[in-house]
Amino acid sequence: MTQKSLQQRIERILPTVTKPGRYVGGELNQVVKPWDSVQTHVALVFPDIYDLGQSNLGMALLYDRLNQHADIAAERAFSPWVDMETAMRNEEIPLFSLENKRPLIDFDIIGVSLPYETLYTNFLNILDLAGIPLYSKARDTHHPLVIAGGQAVFNPEPVAAFVDAFAIGEGEEMVFEIVAAHQSWIASKGSREELLTRLAGIPGVYVPALVAVKYHADGRVQAVESVHPAMKLPVDKRILAKLPSPLNRFLVPNVEVVHERVSVEIMRGCTRGCRFCHAGMVNRPIRERSVDEVLTAIQAGLDQTGYEEVSLLSLSSSDYSEIIPLIEGLKALLIERQVDISLPSLRIESFSEDLMDVLQSLSPGGGFTLAPEAGTERLRKVINKPLSDAELMRTVRSVFQHGWKSLKLYFMIGHPQETLSDIEAIADTCKAVLQEGRQIAGGRAKVHAGVSTFIPKPHTPFQWSAFDDLTAIETKLALLREAFRGTKIKMTWNDPQMSLLEAWLSRGDRRLAPVIESAWRKGARFDAWGDQFRIEPWQAAFAECGLDPDFYSSRERGLNEVLPWDHINAGVRKAFLLDDYQLSLAGEIRPDCRERCYACGILASFNHLRLAQPGGGWKCP
Amino acid sequence: MSLNPQVAAVTRIRVRYAKGNALRFIGHLDLQRLWERLLRRSKLPVRYSQGFHPRARLNLASALPLGFISDEELLDFWLDSPCPLTEIQARLAEAAPPGLKIHTVQQIDPKETALQVQMKASEFTVSFYDPPAATELEQKIAWLLTQEVINKTRRKKTYNLRPLVLDMQVINTLAGERELWMRLLAEPAATGRPDDILEELGFPNTAYLVRRTRVILG
């Protein structure tokens, strides 16, 4: 098939699908390089629809950085929505890139972003739509190299069979080393095995084909061993000593996407040590960007996009040490351009009156979000997000006094050591907050409770804990719904079955590959979408593969057990996590490590980088 | 935060522009947002609405259905302070995304009625991916033009399509391609849709590309 005819065939099916603008590219600041003008073609794939993927900052950063290189072209591809998938399969149109409309199989490297586990079936669907064999071992030198990265791959094992190499940790430097290894391998006309061993030599790259896993008879992992000298275990994640320059070219989608705003990362990592928080553990150390750099990036972003909103991204914005100077510095620009600001992830205890004053003056309309995560002081200590009820109510009062009318409170249920009285306390807290709001803001005060289910994630102190029982979760949700009945408090919650799937996939080992494949063959895709997700194909797939899903989700792991992800080093030592887990069992907290180092392992692993880059903005003491 | 609503010197600007192939699958609402951002990027002293979320005041002449391209679209916007037309044109062209080409910029009497109200008719050409025989097209047109009532249902509403068709012909392009040309009524409550007519003639929307060539104001 010629390139021209593929493009024409795509154009012909587009009038039959919803929101066809997702599939055409052509946006302002897109980078299209003539196909034959570069040596290496990289397809950056986000395995969900354009509307979500195009808002992903990680994708945008890699796209920008790769395309700055003269001999590399990065193009984008996303999952087609179900109607487009049907149309493509009917017309035998392979998955194509948005820039040059090239089939994915023509690319040298497919870089897949896996920020969460419920994308795994979409990932397989993408390989299938592209005509690339699902299993790494079935690919040869003619196939693209399939690389995966993102937060989910800190436990790469469930998708290990489908991926040629994983990029563990921060990818901004690693991608160029991967491309360079690919280029020299092409020049050497080597075998596929030679490509894999070259990649294994790159720090942070994990090649699962060069690693063997042995199991006990009961299914627990017995040992994980390298089978090739090039593949050293454990694989240490990569980090950047200093945050790279922010996005310098902002692509502006023509069709509506989830986040239409200039997003600038102000800080990476978090020192709070909430025990449930995967991001807080795997993204250490904490590094801040300078105020000047953030301001320059925002100005450039607004100039390039014409967006009406600015968002400052980090895991805990109010912990950014220069937050007040930053917002003050932004004020004039925001007012002049009539632009809104959003500041997600505010910590209740680090949230000052000053910050509320300036935020309220800039964005008087919107709502306010706080995340106590648990209903009682006791349980908040267990999860290491300590906060007294008095402190919470003081902040709430201040929020309403500053003029906000609508407050959203995030909670999780299913925490370790949780009892029904902790659940009742969630309802009581929300009611007390609403009452407080009414006293200050009158009848316009609104409280919204967002309830999600705790998932014990790898590389966190709770990695040994079990996922709560599904019936227990349903009971707790019912209790909350009942408690809110007749009140004006609105409650939304996640589908517990979807959380259960996430627990299976995030805590799994290599034996899950055929399960994922089977669930996908039975029609599972868009598992993160409430209207598409079904648990049945997954249950059937586990049964078909002779595996018990409870083994992955509901079992407390032994403290001496080899965990399926132990050979991936996220920088925080297992001994530290274990110590922290035991503190939680004793109901004890571990304070913010900005003040004092608790030797989590980051400095032991990465202090040489810090010393080499003294201006890196590290906040380790 | 918002600009002073009392500003006296309001300038109304009309833009004639083309919506090309890169924007073919961008719908009317998305096009409006695209224009709002284009105007923000242009940094012209555009007039914004009041309130927490100020938006540029925009007026598009006539919605162009998703999947169509156009040689001529009209849009009005307002400036709080005057600016030379050449500079306006240059700044809009600079801020325009791929697929949007600014033809002309002119100043309009602020008291003129809204563009949508002035709309009378649109002209379209239709190119077919697999062009039908000339006689077949001629016959279909002749049949349609002799009807008095052709009922069509769109979004659960039935309407008579025939009076919306002012004229229709088979034309040959300079490149020797056979195309369909039509002039359709485009009044506020009576706007003809080329895709409805083409469906009536037996062509599904996967068979052709529609280009608006002209908008006619009253």
Side-chain angles (χ1 to χ4, degrees):
Chain A
M1 185 201 333
T2 65
Q3 188 51 34
K4 184 142 188 276
S5 81
L6 175 61
Q7 190 147 352
Q8 286 169 342
R9 289 166 60 216
I10 296 167
E11 273 189 34
R12 283 208 193 192
I13 59 169
L14 288 177
T16 67
V17 302
T18 51
K19 215 170 167 184
R22 288 167 176 157
Y23 311 110
V24 296
E27 309 92 330
L28 182 69
N29 293 331
Q30 161 186 257
V31 182
V32 190
K33 298 186 181 180
W35 186 260
D36 295 323
S37 71
V38 301
Q39 191 185 346
T40 304
H41 297 98
V42 181
L44 293 174
V45 175
F46 190 95
D48 206 309
I49 52 171
Y50 176 90
D51 316 37
L52 267 87
Q54 192 51 56
S55 297
N56 182 277
L57 189 61
M59 280 275 288
L61 275 169
L62 292 179
Y63 182 78
D64 187 26
R65 286 173 73 85
L66 286 166
N67 277 321
Q68 286 175 33
H69 265 250
D71 67 342
I72 305 172
E75 307 199 5
R76 297 162 296 150
F78 302 94
S79 293
W81 187 242
V82 284
D83 60 346
M84 181 65 170
E85 181 190 337
T86 305
M88 287 168 68
R89 289 192 188 276
N90 286 343
E91 297 298 319
E92 296 179 355
I93 292 173
L95 189 65
F96 53 89
S97 66
L98 296 187
E99 280 75 7
N100 275 307
K101 312 286 184 298
R102 292 293 287 227
L104 251 56
I105 204 158
D106 288 354
F107 284 78
D108 298 294
I109 299 172
I110 311 280
V112 184
S113 177
L114 295 174
Y116 40 93
E117 296 80 3
T118 38
L119 295 177
Y120 291 165
T121 50
N122 279 14
F123 166 41
L124 292 197
N125 205 36
I126 276 176
L127 292 174
D128 186 62
L129 282 166
I132 298 169
L134 298 186
Y135 284 88
S136 170
K137 62 172 189 268
R139 296 177 202 138
D140 61 30
T141 48
H142 301 97
H143 290 114
L145 173 69
V146 178
I147 306 277
Q151 301 280 296
V153 310
F154 279 96
N155 176 13
E157 294 304 295
V159 282
F162 311 120
V163 174
D164 300 323
F166 289 93
I168 309 288
E170 296 170 4
E172 288 99 329
E173 290 170 348
M174 228 185 321
V175 282
F176 292 108
E177 294 162 33
I178 290 169
V179 169
H182 188 273
Q183 289 180 344
S184 59
W185 168 74
I186 292 274
S188 77
K189 298 189 167 49
S191 66
R192 185 121 182 133
E193 289 65 38
E194 283 164 329
L195 173 59
L196 296 184
T197 53
R198 273 175 198 265
L199 292 168
I202 300 172
V205 172
Y206 171 56
V207 179
L210 304 181
V211 170
V213 180
K214 284 186 206 144
Y215 299 90
H216 292 292
D218 62 6
R220 287 174 303 132
V221 174
Q222 185 183 0
V224 178
E225 285 158 1
S226 169
V227 295
H228 193 285
M231 187 70 252
K232 304 267 188 300
L233 294 181
V235 177
D236 297 330
K237 75 162 180 184
R238 282 288 285 274
I239 64 160
L240 301 172
K242 182 178 189 298
L243 295 189
S245 56
L247 210 57
N248 87 86
R249 196 177 162 103
F250 291 79
L251 192 146
V252 187
N254 289 324
V255 292
E256 195 166 0
V257 297
V258 289
H259 296 311
E260 310 208 322
R261 58 197 190 190
V262 173
S263 296
V264 175
E265 192 184 19
I266 58 175
M267 176 170 81
R268 206 173 279 185
C270 181
T271 52
R272 291 287 181 169
C274 301
R275 291 178 178 130
F276 54 83
C277 183
H278 184 251
M281 292 293 159
V282 304
N283 291 304
R284 293 180 175 206
I286 194 156
R287 287 143 294 162
E288 294 190 353
R289 205 187 279 299
S290 75
V291 169
D292 280 349
E293 205 176 21
V294 175
L295 290 177
T296 311
I298 288 173
Q299 172 123 24
L302 289 173
D303 286 346
Q304 286 182 35
T305 61
Y307 279 155
E308 306 81 10
E309 189 181 330
V310 165
S311 182
L312 304 179
L313 298 187
S314 76
L315 292 171
S316 179
S317 303
S318 48
D319 284 339
Y320 178 69
S321 39
E322 304 286 315
I323 188 73
I324 299 283
L326 173 60
I327 307 275
E328 286 291 346
L330 263 176
K331 210 168 166 175
L333 180 68
L334 299 181
I335 291 172
E336 178 208 322
R337 303 283 182 95
Q338 309 198 36
V339 169
D340 267 350
I341 182 167
S342 72
L343 198 58
S345 313
L346 295 168
R347 294 280 305 202
I348 296 166
E349 62 274 43
S350 61
F351 196 67
S352 67
E353 296 279 321
D354 289 349
L355 185 51
M356 264 191 251
D357 287 341
V358 51
L359 278 181
Q360 176 62 20
S361 72
L362 285 171
S363 263
F368 207 94
T369 303
L370 297 170
E373 307 290 5
T376 57
E377 290 181 6
R378 178 195 71 87
L379 195 56
R380 290 196 288 263
K381 279 186 183 165
V382 169
I383 64 175
N384 204 37
K385 198 167 183 182
L387 174 74
S388 71
D389 291 336
E391 209 174 350
L392 172 62
M393 292 314 287
R394 203 156 47 234
T395 305
V396 164
R397 206 170 301 132
S398 187
V399 168
F400 284 114
Q401 277 164 351
H402 275 81
W404 279 284
K405 309 278 185 250
S406 164
L407 186 57
K408 190 166 184 180
L409 296 169
Y410 280 125
F411 295 94
M412 269 194 273
I413 57 172
H415 286 299
Q417 303 180 52
E418 182 181 75
T419 66
L420 285 184
S421 57
D422 294 303
I423 305 297
E424 284 155 10
I426 292 177
D428 295 343
T429 303
C430 292
K431 287 176 188 169
V433 167
L434 180 61
Q435 196 179 0
E436 196 69 50
R438 286 200 170 142
Q439 278 175 11
I440 299 162
R444 290 171 64 204
K446 267 193 253 170
V447 172
H448 177 175
V451 180
S452 59
T453 308
F454 163 73
I455 299 162
K457 289 277 177 142
H459 304 288
T460 69
F462 285 153
Q463 63 180 352
W464 292 276
S465 306
F467 181 77
D468 201 4
D469 180 69
L470 213 48
T471 349
I473 296 168
E474 293 292 1
T475 307
K476 291 169 185 176
L477 282 174
L479 193 153
L480 285 174
R481 279 193 299 266
E482 187 55 37
F484 290 134
R485 194 187 307 273
T487 71
K488 290 286 182 193
I489 296 163
K490 188 183 154 206
M491 171 178 144
T492 49
W493 62 93
N494 291 7
D495 179 354
Q497 289 190 330
M498 201 188 279
S499 304
L500 179 61
L501 171 65
E502 201 179 320
W504 295 335
L505 294 177
S506 63
R507 303 172 60 69
D509 54 40
R510 278 192 188 187
R511 297 176 305 158
L512 287 192
V515 177
I516 299 169
E517 184 199 352
S518 165
W520 167 71
R521 290 201 188 278
K522 294 179 198 315
R525 32 186 125 325
F526 290 107
D527 290 312
W529 289 72
D531 59 342
Q532 301 291 321
F533 167 69
R534 288 180 308 128
I535 195 90
E536 292 78 13
W538 286 98
Q539 289 164 331
F542 271 102
E544 191 181 290
C545 298
L547 288 173
D548 174 14
D550 288 351
F551 173 82
Y552 294 104
S553 55
S554 314
R555 183 174 64 91
E556 273 194 23
R557 311 269 166 130
L559 298 183
N560 297 317
E561 198 175 321
V562 177
L563 301 173
W565 51 85
D566 275 351
H567 56 296
I568 304 298
N569 173 21
V572 177
R573 291 175 302 119
K574 192 175 180 184
F576 172 85
L577 296 176
L578 183 58
D579 195 32
D580 211 52
Y581 179 52
Q582 279 158 342
L583 284 178
S584 90
L585 294 176
E588 286 177 31
I589 62 162
R590 167 125 55 187
D592 188 334
C593 66
R594 274 194 195 227
E595 280 107 56
R596 199 198 121 182
C597 181
Y598 296 92
C600 71
I602 282 292
L603 284 179
S605 296
F606 297 113
N607 207 32
H608 58 287
L609 287 178
R610 182 193 201 182
L611 295 174
Q613 188 69 260
W618 287 44
K619 296 294 165 188
C620 289
Chain B
M1 189 146 135
S2 300
L3 297 176
N4 180 1
Q6 307 303 325
V7 177
V10 179
T11 310
R12 180 169 170 186
I13 300 294
R14 180 159 301 162
V15 189
R16 260 185 74 240
Y17 67 96
K19 183 183 174 218
N21 215 34
L23 297 175
R24 178 179 168 192
F25 291 104
I26 307 310
H28 184 62
L29 290 178
D30 286 331
L31 190 69
Q32 280 188 347
R33 292 175 329 113
L34 183 150
W35 264 105
E36 285 176 32
R37 288 179 183 151
L38 191 165
L39 289 173
R40 277 183 177 269
R41 292 194 297 270
S42 76
K43 294 191 182 164
L44 288 164
V46 172
R47 160 149 287 213
Y48 286 95
S49 65
Q50 307 296 302
F52 290 152
H53 302 285
R55 300 182 68 173
R57 187 176 165 197
L58 287 182
N59 190 195
L60 280 88
S62 169
L64 189 69
L66 190 75
F68 292 15
I69 57 175
S70 175
D71 297 336
E72 182 176 52
E73 294 294 298
L74 294 180
L75 164 127
D76 285 359
F77 67 94
W78 283 259
L79 295 179
D80 276 327
S81 54
C83 183
L85 289 176
T86 48
E87 187 182 337
I88 295 175
Q89 175 144 9
R91 289 220 228 163
L92 294 180
E94 164 94 32
L100 195 147
K101 188 164 183 296
I102 310 289
H103 290 318
T104 60
V105 169
Q106 61 179 128
Q107 192 168 338
I108 296 291
D109 181 351
K111 290 195 281 292
E112 246 189 39
T113 53
L115 267 173
Q116 296 97 310
V117 180
Q118 296 185 50
M119 274 298 291
K120 286 291 168 219
S122 290
E123 293 178 1
F124 301 91
T125 58
V126 182
S127 59
F128 297 91
Y129 296 130
D130 305 305
T135 47
E136 184 196 336
L137 268 181
E138 307 272 7
Q139 281 169 3
K140 287 185 167 179
I141 293 171
W143 168 81
L144 187 135
L145 293 178
T146 54
Q147 303 300 302
E148 283 186 9
V149 176
I150 301 175
N151 281 328
K152 191 86 198 150
T153 304
R154 169 170 287 276
R155 293 197 179 123
K156 291 177 188 159
K157 279 187 187 161
T158 302
Y159 71 98
N160 181 6
L161 172 154
R162 176 59 191 88
L164 304 179
V165 181
L166 302 175
D167 196 2
M168 253 176 123
Q169 289 174 30
V170 177
I171 56 167
N172 286 302
T173 65
L174 291 175
E177 303 281 333
R178 193 172 310 114
E179 294 190 345
L180 191 57
W181 172 90
M182 56 180 101
R183 179 184 292 149
L184 305 181
L185 199 63
E187 291 178 353
T191 297
R193 287 188 59 120
D195 43 355
D196 279 3
I197 293 157
L198 286 156
E199 193 176 82
E200 205 52 38
L201 298 182
F203 299 107
N205 67 352
T206 48
Y208 55 76
L209 172 62
V210 179
R211 174 192 295 267
R212 175 144 66 185
T213 51
R214 194 174 158 213
V215 292
I216 300 165
L217 301 182

